[in-house]
Amino acid sequence: MCGIIGYVGTRDAAPILLEGLRRLEYRGYDSAGVAIQNGAGLQVLKLAGRVHVLKERLGHQPLHGTSGIAHTRWATHGAPTGRNAHPHRDCTGDIALVHNGIIENADALRAALERQGHRFTTETDTETLAHLIEDAAGATLEDRVIAALAHVEGTYGLAVMSAAQPGKIVVARQGSPVLLGIGENEFFVASDASAVLEYTRSVVYLDDGDIAVLTPTEYHVIDSDSHVQLREVDDVTWDLAAIELGGYPHFMLKEIMEQPDTVRATLRGRLLFEHGTARLNGLNLPPEACAEIRRIVVVACGTSWHSGLVGRHVIEDLTGIPVQVEYASEYRYRRQLALPGTLTIAISQSGETADTLEAMRAARAAGSRVLGIVNVVGSTIAREADGGIYLHAGPEIGVASTKAFTSQIVALVMLGLYLGRQRGLDEEQGREIVCRLAQLPQLVSRTLALEPQVKALAERYADKPNFLYLGRGVNFPVALEGALKLKEISYIHAEGYPAAEMKHGPIALIDANMPVVFVAPKDDVYQKVVSNMQEVKARGGRIIAFTSEGNGDLSALADQQLRVPATLPLLSPVLTSIPLQLLAYHIAVLRGCDVDRPRNLAKSVTVE
Ligand code: G6P
């Protein structure tokens, strides 16, 4: 949700800021802007549209200077126009700032500021910050920012410059991710590490309440009482290639194709063949704590919520512990039941999703131990959780999540295995699961070899206005995820349903124009799913079946059938989800959609 970047140093700032914005564009892409400090004060250029539009404009109208801030926006308050784009100014033109987050008391602040004579030029909540800083007392810009923020309720990752104090950026964090990039005689502020990786691997993750002050010669972090805070400098371990297209036309396709490696990375060093269990060092869950677990609550959003549903099947099956899976946005506002023995697991690719973070905090406040299953190292959920599992899937840039989903499932299976082995799952069964997990990367490669056939399916069905996705058991969440992928990137209406539940409603939609995608690998409910196919066939629906090797021929029922490799039923979602990702991808490409930046979406939803 909105990307911010800032630079102070000795180089020309504009190209660095534009490149940073390009890398942050997955966070929002409806408008963009930049403020550059030069001898004549702060020069601002902002407009509606993507970062490349801003870049073209700066090609004609260059802005030179060695410090600046920039922003790519995902609109919350005010339409995505050039006027509402960041940076925002105060009345005098002294202040320019970029903001990620929401100022919740913006209406009241605005009314008060207008009564005092401030003139607002935008519809945004952010503009209130510029006017508050304009009025705030203090000898330095950081003093004024601290004083202004005392009036603010809400969330922010903020970078502020003042024309009167050239070469300085003041940064503040409350609830929205911000990190500093540490270079030699140059410093950066950014929403995430991808924006600064080209220049430095050393980053400082700020905590809520931190204020950072950057100049070309030094940086320091203080709290709101101006006391210096010591923050570790971390090393970013992934390299630039991980955030480049590497010859693929889209990040989504690159990330789908990376899955043999990403699944391998999630498993690496964690399988204990001899003991039939998993080693999960970051879990911080000693055997006594495992024994105390009476229920598990999963909180997540979007695709991560779907992997949580897969996890429910897997963990209940392997451990006997009841698992409930909650939309984080709903859970956080429900009465928290302080039941002893509750373990809460927050699942999040980004580790920054606001609702998931708050649901995790609410669970902790009610006495629960909290774990994070997170991809982005150093993200807020990862840092606040008591322990957890990193996916190690590398940066996921495509807005539609793919490789994170399969890695989340693998992580959840390892967690189920680890807990199960402590609670009665026998060693032999454990070894079987470990062996099958170890085979997965190779099976994922074989599944990806189906791509030409999936593409042919896409060509056949790309013009259909509606799709139904059906599955049962551990593959019902895969049907939900397949439908989500399609609607996210191709804008085709798609619904996922439990296959048997279809007859309680969606069956009314079925006719020759309705493709019905069945997820039906070999498992205990396979024959039941075949019966559901018959119900569709009897009503003239078009059936696309994703089944697995070892299952019988479905050609009497299905218009098309594709087979993924066979594996344990509990692991099958890792394979069955892949052709659905490819189907959504190819349909979206055929329909001319912007696959990596679908309309209205953002990858990292840091507002509630
Ligand atoms: C957004 C993204 C989805 C993602 C969801 C949760 O809606 O577009 O792809 O699944 O957020 O994100 P998280 O980072 O918490 O997994």
Side-chain angles (χ1 to χ4, degrees):
M1 248 17 17
C2 300
I4 63 174
I5 167 118
Y7 173 80
V8 288
T10 53
R11 293 192 257 180
D12 203 17
I16 295 172
L17 297 175
L18 283 172
E19 185 55 20
L21 284 189
R22 189 176 71 78
R23 303 222 186 257
L24 292 173
E25 215 180 4
Y26 72 87
R27 301 180 66 85
Y29 33 79
D30 58 40
S31 50
V34 59
I36 301 282
Q37 190 133 33
N38 64 10
L42 282 165
Q43 315 248 314
V44 172
L45 182 66
K46 53 186 197 169
L47 32 81
R50 300 265 162 98
V51 172
H52 70 86
V53 183
L54 179 68
K55 190 173 178 183
E56 276 158 30
R57 183 70 76 79
L58 278 168
H60 304 301
Q61 246 178 286
L63 292 179
H64 294 294
T66 54
S67 58
I69 49 178
H71 188 270
T72 177
R73 180 168 185 244
W74 186 87
T76 54
H77 290 56
T81 58
R83 182 187 288 254
N84 287 335
H86 302 216
H88 290 289
R89 318 292 308 261
D90 64 335
C91 298
T92 66
D94 174 52
I95 299 293
L97 57 82
V98 291
H99 167 225
N100 171 28
I102 291 184
I103 306 305
E104 283 165 7
N105 57 341
D107 290 347
L109 289 172
R110 186 181 183 121
L113 286 159
E114 281 176 337
R115 274 198 303 276
Q116 288 158 23
H118 288 271
R119 294 176 324 278
F120 279 70
T121 57
T122 78
E123 298 153 353
T124 65
D125 54 334
T126 300
E127 194 187 346
T128 54
L129 296 174
H131 296 282
L132 282 173
I133 297 169
E134 176 187 351
D135 273 1
T140 61
L141 180 59
E142 53 272 32
D143 290 345
R144 292 168 66 197
V145 170
I146 291 170
L149 290 176
H151 300 281
V152 168
E153 287 163 26
T155 56
Y156 45 82
L158 186 65
V160 189
M161 297 188 86
S162 155
Q165 296 186 42
K168 180 191 271 191
I169 299 178
V170 174
V171 180
R173 175 190 161 136
Q174 183 64 50
S176 299
V178 188
L179 55 79
L180 309 181
I182 312 301
E184 275 190 24
N185 294 324
E186 58 181 7
F187 298 98
F188 306 81
V189 47
S191 300
D192 80 46
S194 64
V196 302
L197 196 61
E198 215 163 326
Y199 314 102
T200 179
R201 289 183 166 280
S202 303
V203 299
V204 172
Y205 298 103
L206 295 185
D207 288 341
D208 280 351
D210 282 354
I211 310 287
V213 183
L214 316 182
T215 70
T217 49
E218 68 99 34
Y219 79 94
H220 60 273
V221 181
I222 53 177
D223 65 10
S224 57
D225 295 320
S226 299
H227 294 137
V228 171
Q229 304 294 302
L230 295 178
R231 296 278 172 263
E232 256 175 57
V233 179
D234 279 291
D235 237 13
V236 179
T237 50
W238 35 274
D239 56 34
L240 213 52
I243 51 172
E244 301 285 3
L245 278 169
Y248 284 98
H250 298 101
F251 281 107
M252 182 178 177
L253 184 60
K254 179 189 178 216
E255 287 156 8
I256 292 172
M257 291 301 178
E258 273 172 4
Q259 288 175 109
D261 292 334
T262 52
V263 166
R264 193 174 290 116
T266 306
L267 291 169
R268 188 165 294 130
R270 288 168 162 165
L271 296 181
L272 299 180
F273 289 83
E274 200 184 324
H275 300 289
T277 186
R279 171 172 46 210
L280 299 167
N281 288 338
L283 221 46
N284 287 334
L285 204 61
E288 319 79 75
C290 289
E292 282 165 10
I293 302 169
R294 303 237 191 97
R295 67 161 186 164
I296 292 176
V297 179
V298 173
V299 292
C301 304
T303 290
S304 297
W305 184 76
H306 292 156
S307 75
L309 292 175
V310 174
R312 173 171 71 189
H313 274 264
V314 172
I315 294 173
E316 287 188 344
D317 199 49
L318 298 179
T319 68
I321 302 170
V323 181
Q324 77 196 60
V325 184
E326 301 278 353
Y327 286 115
S329 54
E330 291 293 317
Y331 184 74
R332 61 182 285 197
Y333 290 114
R334 287 224 304 276
R335 178 175 160 192
Q336 298 298 314
L337 306 177
L339 301 179
T342 300
L343 175 70
T344 302
I345 304 175
I347 307 178
S348 174
Q349 186 286 127
S350 62
E352 300 293 352
T353 301
D355 284 320
T356 309
L357 176 60
E358 289 304 330
M360 180 178 104
R361 287 175 175 162
R364 162 168 298 137
S368 172
R369 180 188 282 266
V370 295
L371 299 181
I373 294 184
V374 171
N375 192 33
V376 178
V377 175
S379 55
T380 311
I381 291 175
R383 286 186 292 144
E384 287 196 15
D386 299 315
I389 307 174
Y390 273 128
L391 302 181
H392 299 307
E396 191 180 65
I397 312 257
V399 166
S401 185
T402 53
K403 64 178 181 176
F405 180 67
T406 45
S407 283
Q408 285 165 346
I409 295 170
V410 168
L412 285 158
V413 172
M414 288 192 291
L415 178 63
L417 178 63
Y418 173 80
L419 294 176
R421 287 287 288 117
Q422 319 229 4
R423 300 172 64 114
L425 182 75
D426 71 53
E427 192 170 288
E428 210 40 53
Q429 266 181 295
R431 281 205 202 107
E432 164 81 359
I433 294 168
V434 167
C435 290
R436 297 302 198 100
L437 278 167
Q439 290 165 357
L440 270 182
Q442 193 204 347
L443 300 186
V444 170
S445 293
R446 280 180 46 208
T447 308
L448 287 168
L450 293 171
E451 197 204 355
Q453 289 145 271
V454 179
K455 195 170 172 200
L457 275 180
E459 280 157 9
R460 198 176 188 113
Y461 290 101
D463 63 340
K464 299 291 181 202
N466 297 290
F467 276 71
L468 191 58
Y469 285 71
L470 302 176
R472 294 185 80 149
V474 76
N475 278 286
F476 157 54
V478 175
L480 290 177
E481 176 61 7
L484 178 68
K485 288 287 86 91
L486 188 69
K487 73 185 123 188
E488 275 181 315
I489 59 169
S490 72
Y491 318 138
I492 293 174
H493 171 242
E495 271 192 73
Y497 242 77
E501 193 63 22
M502 166 191 65
K503 52 186 158 315
H504 301 289
I507 201 165
L509 300 170
I510 288 170
D511 61 15
N513 214 20
M514 170 71 103
V516 184
V517 176
F518 275 93
V519 190
K522 191 174 175 60
D523 61 14
D524 292 350
V525 286
Y526 173 68
Q527 282 309 329
K528 308 275 177 203
V529 181
V530 171
S531 306
N532 300 135
M533 284 185 204
Q534 265 148 358
E535 292 158 6
V536 171
K537 178 81 176 170
R539 280 144 190 103
R542 294 263 162 271
I543 296 178
I544 306 166
F546 291 99
T547 173
S548 62
E549 290 163 2
N551 271 348
D553 180 23
L554 287 170
S555 53
L557 283 174
D559 293 80
Q560 286 83 28
Q561 58 179 323
L562 290 187
R563 288 174 196 282
V564 301
T567 183
L568 287 182
L570 284 183
L571 302 183
S572 63
V574 173
L575 305 180
T576 51
S577 57
I578 290 172
L580 303 191
Q581 296 168 348
L582 285 167
L583 183 64
Y585 172 78
H586 283 296
I587 289 179
V589 170
L590 286 165
R591 291 169 72 103
C593 300
D594 188 343
V595 172
D596 284 337
R597 293 179 199 82
R599 71 183 178 206
N600 305 339
L601 294 179
K603 180 136 193 86
S604 186
V605 183
T606 54
V607 294
E608 68 168 288

